[in-house]
Amino acid sequence: MRAILTACSDEGKMIILSAELERHELRRWRQTRSFYCPQCKGQVQLKVGDIVIPHFAHKRDTACSASFSEGESQQHLNGKRLLYQFLVNDQREVELEPTLNRVSQRPDLLVKTGKKSYPIEFQCSTIPISLLEERTEGYRKAGMDPIWILHTPAKFTTLPEGVGLFQFSKFQEWFIERTFPDNHVLLTFNPHNQTFHYFSSLLHVAGQRYIGLHRILPLPFQVFPFARPKAPTENEVSQYGNLYETLRQKELQNRIVLNRKGIKDPFLRSCYEMKMLPTQLPPWIGVPVQRNSAFREPDVEWQFRLVHFLKRNEIPHSDVAPYSIERFVRSFSGDYKGKTMACKYYIDFISCYGIDSITQKTDLIENVVLRIISERFLANEERN
C-alpha cells in the first residue's frame, strides 16, 4: 500500500496527521469518518497501530498517479512529519505532501516565503539518480529550487563530531551541495534521534572518499533556511592537512606494494619514464586544488601524470595552451569540464612558484598542503 499523512475528510476538509493527534481520537475517526486521497479522490484507509505512526493508505490496486515512486517507510513518514512540525513551529507557511499539478510532482513538504516556494524532499530509500535529476529539473522548470535532505546513513549516526575521513556511495554523493567556490555540504537528517548531521567543507581525496567536518544539530536548534556550517577553525585545518598528507603517503606506498598491473599502470608508467620513485615525488605533486573532485584518481596521480604529459610534449608549465589540457583530460573518463578546470588550477599553482622541472628546487613552504587548505576554507569564510 502507498502511505500518506494527508487526506480529505468526507466534509471536504484537509486532515493532517500531525504528532498532536491522539491515537484514541484517530481510532474513533476510523470508525465514524471516511477519508479520500487529495489527488485521485479515491478512498483511503486510516491506519492507527501501536508501533507504526498513524497514516492513510491507498488500497493495493490503486491507480493513483500521485503515489510516491517508492514505498513509504516508517522512517520516511516519521521524518517528514517531524520536519513539518519543525517548520510550523518556526512559523513558516508550509504544506505537507502538496500536489503540484503544473509539474505533476508531489514533494514531501512545500515551504513558502514571500514570492518563493521551496519543495523539500526527505530521501530515505535508494532510487535511480536519473529519477532524482528528473524531479529536480521539474521543480526548477517551475521556478522552484528544491531542497534535498538525505536520511543519515546508519554508519554515520554514531560518529563523533569533528574532522574525519568519510566514504559516500555514488547515490549519497549526489546529495552533496556544491556552491562556489568550495563550500561542499551534505545535509542529512536522522528522525530516530531527531538530529541533523552535517558533513561540510568536504575535501576530495580519491574515489568517493572525502576529508570533512562532521557536526550534529538537534532539531530544536534548526532554522529555516537550513543552518549553514561554519568553515573549519585553524586547528581543524591543521587536522585536514595532517590527514591529507598521511593519505597521500599511504597512496604512494600502496601503489608499489599492492599494484597488480605493473608497468601497465598509467601512474607507475609515468614514474618509470620520468625515472622517479613514487615515494620521491616532490611535495608540490599531490595537492588539493579547487575542482579536484572531478577526478576519481588521487591528486598525486593525476597531477603527476599531467606533469609527465607536459614534459613528454615539451610544454613549459608557464605556457600551457587550453588545447593541451584538453588533450590530457581526454585520457580520463567522467566530468570533462571539471577536470579541465582542476588542471588549470593546478597549472596556475605551479606557475605561481615558477616550477618548470620535476627536480627544480623551489621556495615552497614545507606544509604546502596546509597552506592550500587554509586558502580554500578560511579565505572563503572571510568572504562570507
Side-chain angles (χ1 to χ4, degrees), residues 39-277:
Q39 175 65 16
C40 69
K41 311 304 180 184
Q43 189 168 358
V44 292
Q45 297 172 302
L46 175 56
K47 300 284 187 176
V48 189
D50 294 323
I51 300 177
V52 178
I53 66 173
H55 61 277
F56 299 106
H58 285 83
K59 295 182 179 180
R60 294 184 184 278
D61 59 352
T62 183
C64 179
S65 61
S67 294
F68 300 103
S69 298
E70 60 273 9
E72 293 287 301
S73 65
Q74 167 74 359
Q75 59 190 10
H76 191 193
L77 287 170
N78 190 35
K80 62 184 178 182
R81 186 173 72 166
L82 288 169
L83 291 171
Y84 171 78
Q85 195 60 53
F86 146 69
L87 290 164
V88 169
N89 293 342
D90 198 43
Q91 298 183 337
R92 298 291 174 176
E93 184 180 352
V94 56
E95 295 181 54
L96 179 64
E97 302 172 344
T99 300
L100 305 180
N101 292 321
R102 63 185 183 277
V103 293
S104 300
Q105 292 180 214
R106 193 175 187 180
D108 292 324
L109 301 155
L110 185 69
V111 182
K112 298 180 180 179
T113 58
K115 296 182 179 180
K116 299 197 68 174
S117 296
Y118 298 91
I120 297 178
E121 295 275 15
F122 178 50
Q123 192 63 38
C124 293
S125 59
T126 301
I127 61 176
I129 291 177
S130 59
L131 183 54
L132 297 173
E133 293 174 341
E134 180 182 328
R135 291 182 185 177
T136 299
E137 184 62 21
Y139 291 131
R140 288 177 176 167
K141 284 183 177 179
M144 297 180 288
D145 291 322
I147 298 172
W148 289 91
I149 303 176
L150 181 67
H151 183 275
T152 306
K155 66 179 180 179
F156 294 143
T157 56
T158 58
L159 286 180
E161 295 186 85
V163 177
L165 178 65
F166 311 108
Q167 180 158 344
F168 305 115
S169 67
K170 287 186 178 180
F171 178 77
Q172 293 161 358
E173 262 192 315
W174 187 88
F175 293 87
I176 296 175
E177 181 184 357
R178 296 171 169 85
T179 57
F180 181 84
D182 279 301
N183 186 23
H184 295 179
V185 179
L186 174 61
L187 172 62
T188 74
F189 179 56
N190 183 356
H192 179 70
N193 55 21
Q194 300 186 30
T195 55
F196 290 88
H197 290 251
Y198 284 88
F199 301 87
S200 61
S201 298
L202 294 172
L203 181 67
H204 182 253
V205 176
Q208 283 110 250
R209 292 185 298 157
Y210 295 80
I211 298 173
L213 260 177
H214 174 220
R215 291 192 176 101
I216 300 174
L217 181 66
L219 180 59
F221 294 93
Q222 184 60 278
V223 296
F224 187 88
F226 291 104
R228 308 306 297 173
K230 293 182 179 180
T233 64
E234 290 188 15
N235 179 59
E236 289 167 338
V237 165
S238 180
Q239 295 178 51
Y240 269 72
N242 292 335
L243 183 53
Y244 182 91
E245 186 57 33
T246 297
L247 294 170
R248 175 183 180 275
Q249 292 299 329
K250 185 176 181 180
E251 171 64 26
L252 293 173
Q253 293 169 1
N254 287 344
R255 292 304 286 267
I256 299 175
V257 177
L258 303 179
N259 173 60
R260 294 183 179 180
K261 296 182 180 179
I263 203 66
K264 293 183 179 179
D265 181 286
F267 173 68
L268 294 181
R269 180 70 184 180
S270 295
C271 290
Y272 174 76
E273 294 183 2
M274 295 283 281
K275 299 180 180 180
M276 298 283 295
L277 289 174

Side-chain angles (χ1 to χ4, degrees), residues 11 14 32 40 66 70 95 107 120 146 170 225 230 234 241 246 279 304 310 315 325 353 355 358-359 365 370:
E11 300 92 357
M14 181 65 71
T32 60
C40 69
E70 60 273 9
E95 295 181 54
I120 297 178
K170 287 186 178 180
K230 293 182 179 180
E234 290 188 15
T246 297
T279 52
F304 185 64
L310 297 177
I315 303 172
I325 297 177
Y353 288 95
I355 300 171
I358 191 68
T359 58
I365 57 175
L370 180 60

Side-chain angles (χ1 to χ4, degrees), residues 19-36:
E20 287 75 17
L21 295 174
E22 298 290 343
R23 290 178 187 260
H24 67 84
E25 178 69 8
L26 294 176
R27 290 190 176 99
R28 187 179 65 81
W29 284 6
R30 186 174 57 186
Q31 299 298 323
T32 60
R33 305 174 69 176
S34 298
F35 303 94
Y36 304 88

Side-chain angles (χ1 to χ4, degrees), residues 37 48 79 112 114 137 238 284 328 361 369:
C37 173
V48 189
K112 298 180 180 179
E137 184 62 21
S238 180
W284 50 269
F328 170 74
K361 301 295 182 180
V369 170

